[in-house]
Amino acid sequence: MRKVVIGTGLLIALAAIFAFAQPATQVEPVAKEAKINWLTWEEAMVAMENNPKKMFIDVYTDWCGWCKRMDANTFTDGDVIDFMNENYYAVKFNAESTPDQQYKGNTLSFQAGAGRRGVHELAVVLLNRRLGYPSFVYLDEQQNSLKISPGYKTPDVLLVELKAVAAAN
């Protein structure tokens, strides 16, 4: 009886060792994750001079929860990333940033007295005074507004919108 108990104990111990042992795996290099090629406003203006194309501007604030959700869920979608990078200059613009910006020959500045936290005049101009975050602005190759699109978007909804604006003349 004692041999049976010892034998059973050894079998259980061996089974536990094999059950919890990690199999040897070959470590493969991790592929670089694709990302949207976000530009600053200044970088986009330079790029537009050299090679004009449509712009997608994400107007956001640091405190906006839906903006952060767009960054985490929508702007990480592979189809959105591929289409955006191929068809647009993508710009992230913080509506509460302070550096002056140039747009259509005008110098636009941060206005500390506007709203609770202040707002940049460029955000006001781009959003046609309808401040809400997140909001997306589409500009044509001459930097004219094509569309203002407020609110959170799922990847499939944003992709449809990106394709529609890209196809418009």
Side-chain angles (χ1 to χ4, degrees):
M1 181 67 151
R2 186 177 172 159
K3 288 183 182 180
V4 172
V5 171
I6 293 174
T8 304
L10 281 173
L11 283 175
I12 292 173
L14 285 173
I17 290 171
F18 285 111
F20 294 107
Q22 296 291 327
T25 57
Q26 185 176 9
V27 177
E28 294 182 25
V30 177
K32 185 177 178 185
E33 190 175 310
K35 294 181 181 178
I36 292 175
N37 297 326
W38 293 109
L39 303 174
T40 64
W41 181 259
E42 298 88 355
E43 291 169 337
M45 292 299 104
V46 170
M48 289 289 283
E49 288 177 14
N50 298 328
N51 181 27
K53 71 179 185 180
K54 291 181 178 159
M55 291 176 63
F56 171 90
I57 303 150
D58 173 18
V59 183
Y60 73 98
T61 62
D62 290 334
W63 50 264
C64 168
W66 288 108
C67 301
K68 292 174 185 171
R69 185 173 257 181
M70 286 288 299
D71 288 339
N73 298 333
T74 304
F75 294 142
T76 57
D77 180 81
D79 293 334
V80 169
I81 292 167
D82 292 344
F83 195 84
M84 182 85 71
N85 288 340
E86 185 174 328
N87 295 282
Y88 293 92
Y89 289 125
V91 174
K92 278 195 147 312
F93 184 74
N94 185 340
E96 297 174 345
S97 64
T98 56
D100 288 351
Q101 302 294 340
Q102 297 296 316
Y103 180 54
K104 293 192 166 196
N106 297 309
T107 300
L108 303 175
S109 304
F110 177 75
Q111 301 298 307
R116 284 186 266 167
R117 297 187 166 122
V119 66
H120 201 287
E121 287 177 311
L122 181 59
V124 174
V125 169
L126 291 174
L127 296 176
N128 199 23
R129 300 188 180 276
R130 294 187 182 115
L131 301 175
Y133 313 107
S135 286
F136 313 102
V137 179
Y138 295 87
L139 300 180
D140 67 12
E141 295 81 354
Q142 292 75 41
Q143 302 173 18
N144 299 313
S145 182
L146 293 171
K147 179 180 180 79
I148 299 170
S149 179
Y152 174 82
K153 311 243 183 306
T154 59
D156 55 331
V157 170
L158 182 62
L159 191 57
V160 167
E161 187 173 281
L162 288 168
K163 288 179 179 180
V165 174
N169 289 330

